Amino acid sequence: MNIYEDLLVRTILKSEPINKVLQTLKDLNLPFEYYVGAGCITNTIWNDISGYPLEYGISDIDIVYYDEDDLGSDSEKKLIQKLESKLWDYQFDFDVKNQARVHLWYESKFGFPIKPYPSLEAAIDSWPTTATALGIRIEKNGLHKIYAPYHLDDLFSMVVRPNKSLVTKEIFENKANKWKKRWPKLQIVPW
């Protein structure tokens, strides 16, 4: 682990809600790869750096997985139900998305079609910013696995840099402006 990966794990270990989800997902022994990622992880790091409560600004817990053998939305709902049954008093909603089926609904939500993702990592590679394109999980051996295709420098430097591989300028700017209001120390790199 490099210094930022170690710091990421140490910071996430301070967040009881995220640790509960990571441990619960590990214990479910899911038949596919998954990550807890995006906003909930990024926000936790920015909160720690900014001196805010670790849960500040987090609206839900993003869980992404890849199962090309089941492209129905029912499997996403079933995973949410499993998590809710184990974490019945949990303070956040769960946003569970099978990245193998994103292409089926993306155009209706964002206005343009995308090709199917060939893997879970390819999906994360396309997320809107370099700081938020990341995921973490606990492996069966108890070690944390981190996937951060653009590394963690921007995350820990509080730099919001556009990842132009998929999103539009408008989507990026809307997200960046919303985040800047919550975390004034953020440095927004223009499109």
Side-chain angles (χ1 to χ4, degrees):
M1 250 188 225
N2 70 35
I3 188 165
Y4 281 139
E5 287 178 342
D6 184 54
L7 187 54
L8 176 69
V9 170
R10 281 187 294 148
T11 305
I12 293 304
L13 285 172
K14 293 192 283 186
S15 170
E16 183 182 345
I18 291 178
N19 272 304
K20 277 185 181 180
V21 170
L22 287 169
Q23 191 60 53
T24 301
L25 286 165
K26 176 187 168 278
D27 294 345
L28 286 174
N29 201 23
L30 298 169
F32 42 72
E33 290 205 342
Y34 67 89
Y35 289 103
V36 174
C40 63
I41 303 300
T42 303
N43 298 168
T44 301
I45 300 303
W46 291 344
N47 288 336
D48 191 57
I49 293 168
S50 301
Y52 299 160
L54 292 181
E55 293 81 23
Y56 171 76
I58 297 174
S59 57
D60 56 28
I61 303 296
D62 297 294
I63 301 164
V64 293
Y65 68 95
Y66 193 85
D67 184 1
E68 60 190 345
D69 295 326
D70 184 356
L71 297 183
S73 61
D74 285 349
S75 60
E76 295 170 346
K77 293 173 190 163
K78 286 178 185 171
L79 181 50
I80 290 171
Q81 290 168 347
K82 281 182 187 176
L83 289 166
E84 288 175 345
S85 73
K86 302 229 178 257
L87 300 165
W88 57 270
D89 61 343
Y90 199 69
Q91 67 195 80
F92 299 114
D93 292 331
F94 299 106
D95 185 2
V96 174
K97 297 278 188 297
N98 179 0
Q99 299 298 292
R101 67 180 300 278
V102 169
H103 66 283
L104 300 174
W105 54 260
Y106 196 91
E107 184 174 12
S108 66
K109 183 168 183 178
F110 294 107
F112 58 95
I114 63 169
K115 293 180 179 177
Y117 291 123
S119 68
L120 180 54
E121 288 75 14
I124 294 172
D125 292 350
S126 75
W127 289 358
T129 75
T130 56
T132 58
L134 73 114
I136 187 171
R137 70 174 176 249
I138 301 176
E139 300 279 55
K140 289 179 177 34
N141 63 9
L143 297 177
H144 289 83
K145 168 142 177 127
I146 297 166
Y147 182 71
Y150 307 105
H151 309 288
L152 299 170
D153 301 24
D154 283 351
L155 173 64
F156 282 97
S157 300
M158 295 189 74
V159 171
V160 178
R161 185 182 317 277
N163 176 10
K164 299 179 183 180
S165 66
L166 179 63
V167 299
T168 63
K169 179 180 180 184
E170 180 184 22
I171 291 171
F172 168 74
E173 288 177 347
N174 286 341
K175 286 185 175 294
N177 291 333
K178 178 179 81 172
W179 295 336
K180 181 74 172 172
K181 289 176 185 165
R182 289 187 180 153
W183 295 277
K185 292 180 183 176
L186 289 177
Q187 301 167 51
I188 310 298
V189 175
W191 183 269

